[in-house]
Amino acid sequence: MSGRNWLAFGSGVGVEIGERHLEVTAVQVRPGGARVLGSLTIPNYEATPAAEWGAQYREFAKKFGVQHVAVMVLLRRRDVILRQVAMPGVADKDLDSAVGFQLETLHPFKESDVIASWARLRKTGGKKSSD
């Protein structure tokens, strides 16, 4: 067993957003490998109040002792938009505002339905802030 395997300890939760249901899986990782602790299917989640299926998830997480871990969510491809936006001459300190200003033109969804994130792909010659 390599030294790297000895560092493999932890637990995690993954959620797959399907067409009609959520698939939740809790996993434990140990030097000997990964083991599925349990899984949960939440049917018809879009028509069910979030508080209801949230309570189901909380119960599941508590049962397997993973209520403290971050959750990885796998979105459906149709629910994700990736855009590259050129921002020549925008200083690093102004990027957040500049992207936010452009955001509404980059997707077809209602603003209340959008969660956005951005990252600079590489240095593009933008002006450095002097702060």
Side-chain angles (χ1 to χ4, degrees), residues 88-106:
V90 176
D92 288 348
K93 68 180 179 85
D94 297 326
L95 272 174
D96 195 46
S97 298
V99 171
F101 184 71
Q102 295 293 320
L103 190 59
E104 68 186 38
T105 65
L106 300 174

PDB file of all heavy atoms in Angstrom, residues 88-106:
ATOM      1  N   PRO A  88     -11.387  42.506 -21.649  1.00  0.00           N
ATOM      2  CA  PRO A  88     -10.097  43.166 -21.842  1.00  0.00           C
ATOM      3  C   PRO A  88     -10.041  44.494 -21.081  1.00  0.00           C
ATOM      4  O   PRO A  88     -11.002  45.254 -21.044  1.00  0.00           O
ATOM      5  CB  PRO A  88     -10.037  43.397 -23.359  1.00  0.00           C
ATOM      6  CG  PRO A  88     -11.446  43.372 -23.812  1.00  0.00           C
ATOM      7  CD  PRO A  88     -12.180  42.455 -22.862  1.00  0.00           C
ATOM      8  N   GLY A  89      -8.910  44.720 -20.449  1.00  0.00           N
ATOM      9  CA  GLY A  89      -8.681  45.978 -19.754  1.00  0.00           C
ATOM     10  C   GLY A  89      -9.362  46.109 -18.408  1.00  0.00           C
ATOM     11  O   GLY A  89      -9.267  47.146 -17.772  1.00  0.00           O
ATOM     12  N   VAL A  90     -10.055  45.067 -17.934  1.00  0.00           N
ATOM     13  CA  VAL A  90     -10.732  45.137 -16.639  1.00  0.00           C
ATOM     14  C   VAL A  90      -9.743  44.701 -15.559  1.00  0.00           C
ATOM     15  O   VAL A  90      -9.166  43.620 -15.632  1.00  0.00           O
ATOM     16  CB  VAL A  90     -11.989  44.240 -16.616  1.00  0.00           C
ATOM     17  CG1 VAL A  90     -12.620  44.250 -15.231  1.00  0.00           C
ATOM     18  CG2 VAL A  90     -12.996  44.701 -17.665  1.00  0.00           C
ATOM     19  N   ALA A  91      -9.567  45.549 -14.569  1.00  0.00           N
ATOM     20  CA  ALA A  91      -8.649  45.235 -13.463  1.00  0.00           C
ATOM     21  C   ALA A  91      -9.207  44.079 -12.640  1.00  0.00           C
ATOM     22  O   ALA A  91     -10.426  43.902 -12.534  1.00  0.00           O
ATOM     23  CB  ALA A  91      -8.470  46.466 -12.577  1.00  0.00           C
ATOM     24  N   ASP A  92      -8.326  43.303 -12.059  1.00  0.00           N
ATOM     25  CA  ASP A  92      -8.737  42.164 -11.236  1.00  0.00           C
ATOM     26  C   ASP A  92      -9.752  42.568 -10.174  1.00  0.00           C
ATOM     27  O   ASP A  92     -10.717  41.869  -9.921  1.00  0.00           O
ATOM     28  CB  ASP A  92      -7.525  41.510 -10.563  1.00  0.00           C
ATOM     29  CG  ASP A  92      -6.652  40.742 -11.538  1.00  0.00           C
ATOM     30  OD1 ASP A  92      -7.092  40.521 -12.687  1.00  0.00           O
ATOM     31  OD2 ASP A  92      -5.540  40.361 -11.151  1.00  0.00           O
ATOM     32  N   LYS A  93      -9.538  43.711  -9.544  1.00  0.00           N
ATOM     33  CA  LYS A  93     -10.435  44.151  -8.474  1.00  0.00           C
ATOM     34  C   LYS A  93     -11.832  44.498  -8.989  1.00  0.00           C
ATOM     35  O   LYS A  93     -12.782  44.539  -8.215  1.00  0.00           O
ATOM     36  CB  LYS A  93      -9.841  45.338  -7.716  1.00  0.00           C
ATOM     37  CG  LYS A  93      -9.753  46.625  -8.522  1.00  0.00           C
ATOM     38  CD  LYS A  93      -9.142  47.737  -7.678  1.00  0.00           C
ATOM     39  CE  LYS A  93      -9.024  49.004  -8.462  1.00  0.00           C
ATOM     40  NZ  LYS A  93     -10.240  49.801  -8.457  1.00  0.00           N
ATOM     41  N   ASP A  94     -11.976  44.719 -10.289  1.00  0.00           N
ATOM     42  CA  ASP A  94     -13.268  45.089 -10.868  1.00  0.00           C
ATOM     43  C   ASP A  94     -13.972  43.932 -11.580  1.00  0.00           C
ATOM     44  O   ASP A  94     -15.074  44.099 -12.099  1.00  0.00           O
ATOM     45  CB  ASP A  94     -13.082  46.243 -11.870  1.00  0.00           C
ATOM     46  CG  ASP A  94     -12.553  47.495 -11.210  1.00  0.00           C
ATOM     47  OD1 ASP A  94     -12.919  47.733 -10.038  1.00  0.00           O
ATOM     48  OD2 ASP A  94     -11.774  48.216 -11.850  1.00  0.00           O
ATOM     49  N   LEU A  95     -13.335  42.759 -11.634  1.00  0.00           N
ATOM     50  CA  LEU A  95     -13.899  41.631 -12.378  1.00  0.00           C
ATOM     51  C   LEU A  95     -15.266  41.194 -11.859  1.00  0.00           C
ATOM     52  O   LEU A  95     -16.175  40.928 -12.642  1.00  0.00           O
ATOM     53  CB  LEU A  95     -12.944  40.438 -12.362  1.00  0.00           C
ATOM     54  CG  LEU A  95     -11.909  40.426 -13.477  1.00  0.00           C
ATOM     55  CD1 LEU A  95     -10.931  39.278 -13.259  1.00  0.00           C
ATOM     56  CD2 LEU A  95     -12.537  40.348 -14.833  1.00  0.00           C
ATOM     57  N   ASP A  96     -15.430  41.103 -10.555  1.00  0.00           N
ATOM     58  CA  ASP A  96     -16.700  40.656  -9.992  1.00  0.00           C
ATOM     59  C   ASP A  96     -17.850  41.559 -10.452  1.00  0.00           C
ATOM     60  O   ASP A  96     -18.890  41.075 -10.893  1.00  0.00           O
ATOM     61  CB  ASP A  96     -16.616  40.616  -8.467  1.00  0.00           C
ATOM     62  CG  ASP A  96     -17.757  39.828  -7.854  1.00  0.00           C
ATOM     63  OD1 ASP A  96     -18.037  38.717  -8.354  1.00  0.00           O
ATOM     64  OD2 ASP A  96     -18.356  40.319  -6.883  1.00  0.00           O
ATOM     65  N   SER A  97     -17.654  42.844 -10.372  1.00  0.00           N
ATOM     66  CA  SER A  97     -18.694  43.786 -10.801  1.00  0.00           C
ATOM     67  C   SER A  97     -18.933  43.698 -12.305  1.00  0.00           C
ATOM     68  O   SER A  97     -20.075  43.744 -12.762  1.00  0.00           O
ATOM     69  CB  SER A  97     -18.293  45.218 -10.438  1.00  0.00           C
ATOM     70  OG  SER A  97     -18.176  45.355  -9.052  1.00  0.00           O
ATOM     71  N   ALA A  98     -17.859  43.579 -13.069  1.00  0.00           N
ATOM     72  CA  ALA A  98     -17.990  43.521 -14.525  1.00  0.00           C
ATOM     73  C   ALA A  98     -18.740  42.270 -14.973  1.00  0.00           C
ATOM     74  O   ALA A  98     -19.616  42.327 -15.837  1.00  0.00           O
ATOM     75  CB  ALA A  98     -16.609  43.572 -15.181  1.00  0.00           C
ATOM     76  N   VAL A  99     -18.420  41.124 -14.374  1.00  0.00           N
ATOM     77  CA  VAL A  99     -19.117  39.885 -14.713  1.00  0.00           C
ATOM     78  C   VAL A  99     -20.573  39.981 -14.276  1.00  0.00           C
ATOM     79  O   VAL A  99     -21.484  39.611 -15.019  1.00  0.00           O
ATOM     80  CB  VAL A  99     -18.427  38.658 -14.075  1.00  0.00           C
ATOM     81  CG1 VAL A  99     -19.272  37.408 -14.249  1.00  0.00           C
ATOM     82  CG2 VAL A  99     -17.051  38.446 -14.696  1.00  0.00           C
ATOM     83  N   GLY A 100     -20.816  40.482 -13.079  1.00  0.00           N
ATOM     84  CA  GLY A 100     -22.189  40.651 -12.590  1.00  0.00           C
ATOM     85  C   GLY A 100     -23.017  41.527 -13.508  1.00  0.00           C
ATOM     86  O   GLY A 100     -24.196  41.262 -13.754  1.00  0.00           O
ATOM     87  N   PHE A 101     -22.414  42.571 -14.047  1.00  0.00           N
ATOM     88  CA  PHE A 101     -23.102  43.477 -14.968  1.00  0.00           C
ATOM     89  C   PHE A 101     -23.500  42.751 -16.256  1.00  0.00           C
ATOM     90  O   PHE A 101     -24.569  42.996 -16.812  1.00  0.00           O
ATOM     91  CB  PHE A 101     -22.191  44.671 -15.279  1.00  0.00           C
ATOM     92  CG  PHE A 101     -22.828  45.711 -16.134  1.00  0.00           C
ATOM     93  CD1 PHE A 101     -23.828  46.527 -15.634  1.00  0.00           C
ATOM     94  CD2 PHE A 101     -22.421  45.878 -17.453  1.00  0.00           C
ATOM     95  CE1 PHE A 101     -24.428  47.487 -16.427  1.00  0.00           C
ATOM     96  CE2 PHE A 101     -23.017  46.830 -18.262  1.00  0.00           C
ATOM     97  CZ  PHE A 101     -24.016  47.642 -17.744  1.00  0.00           C
ATOM     98  N   GLN A 102     -22.661  41.829 -16.726  1.00  0.00           N
ATOM     99  CA  GLN A 102     -22.913  41.094 -17.970  1.00  0.00           C
ATOM    100  C   GLN A 102     -23.811  39.873 -17.788  1.00  0.00           C
ATOM    101  O   GLN A 102     -24.365  39.351 -18.740  1.00  0.00           O
ATOM    102  CB  GLN A 102     -21.591  40.633 -18.581  1.00  0.00           C
ATOM    103  CG  GLN A 102     -20.699  41.748 -19.035  1.00  0.00           C
ATOM    104  CD  GLN A 102     -21.295  42.495 -20.208  1.00  0.00           C
ATOM    105  OE1 GLN A 102     -21.873  41.895 -21.097  1.00  0.00           O
ATOM    106  NE2 GLN A 102     -21.164  43.802 -20.196  1.00  0.00           N
ATOM    107  N   LEU A 103     -23.963  39.423 -16.554  1.00  0.00           N
ATOM    108  CA  LEU A 103     -24.593  38.138 -16.272  1.00  0.00           C
ATOM    109  C   LEU A 103     -25.980  37.970 -16.870  1.00  0.00           C
ATOM    110  O   LEU A 103     -26.303  36.935 -17.440  1.00  0.00           O
ATOM    111  CB  LEU A 103     -24.637  37.898 -14.759  1.00  0.00           C
ATOM    112  CG  LEU A 103     -25.037  36.507 -14.326  1.00  0.00           C
ATOM    113  CD1 LEU A 103     -24.081  35.467 -14.886  1.00  0.00           C
ATOM    114  CD2 LEU A 103     -25.065  36.422 -12.818  1.00  0.00           C
ATOM    115  N   GLU A 104     -26.827  38.972 -16.770  1.00  0.00           N
ATOM    116  CA  GLU A 104     -28.203  38.805 -17.240  1.00  0.00           C
ATOM    117  C   GLU A 104     -28.290  38.552 -18.743  1.00  0.00           C
ATOM    118  O   GLU A 104     -29.267  37.999 -19.222  1.00  0.00           O
ATOM    119  CB  GLU A 104     -29.059  39.994 -16.840  1.00  0.00           C
ATOM    120  CG  GLU A 104     -28.686  41.280 -17.543  1.00  0.00           C
ATOM    121  CD  GLU A 104     -29.469  42.453 -17.011  1.00  0.00           C
ATOM    122  OE1 GLU A 104     -29.703  42.518 -15.795  1.00  0.00           O
ATOM    123  OE2 GLU A 104     -29.844  43.296 -17.833  1.00  0.00           O
ATOM    124  N   THR A 105     -27.251  38.911 -19.491  1.00  0.00           N
ATOM    125  CA  THR A 105     -27.262  38.671 -20.938  1.00  0.00           C
ATOM    126  C   THR A 105     -26.690  37.304 -21.305  1.00  0.00           C
ATOM    127  O   THR A 105     -26.669  36.942 -22.468  1.00  0.00           O
ATOM    128  CB  THR A 105     -26.450  39.751 -21.684  1.00  0.00           C
ATOM    129  OG1 THR A 105     -25.072  39.637 -21.294  1.00  0.00           O
ATOM    130  CG2 THR A 105     -26.965  41.140 -21.376  1.00  0.00           C
ATOM    131  N   LEU A 106     -26.241  36.547 -20.307  1.00  0.00           N
ATOM    132  CA  LEU A 106     -25.544  35.290 -20.573  1.00  0.00           C
ATOM    133  C   LEU A 106     -26.392  34.039 -20.368  1.00  0.00           C
ATOM    134  O   LEU A 106     -25.889  32.938 -20.511  1.00  0.00           O
ATOM    135  CB  LEU A 106     -24.290  35.197 -19.692  1.00  0.00           C
ATOM    136  CG  LEU A 106     -23.258  36.302 -19.894  1.00  0.00           C
ATOM    137  CD1 LEU A 106     -22.147  36.186 -18.864  1.00  0.00           C
ATOM    138  CD2 LEU A 106     -22.691  36.248 -21.305  1.00  0.00           C
TER     139      LEU A 106
END
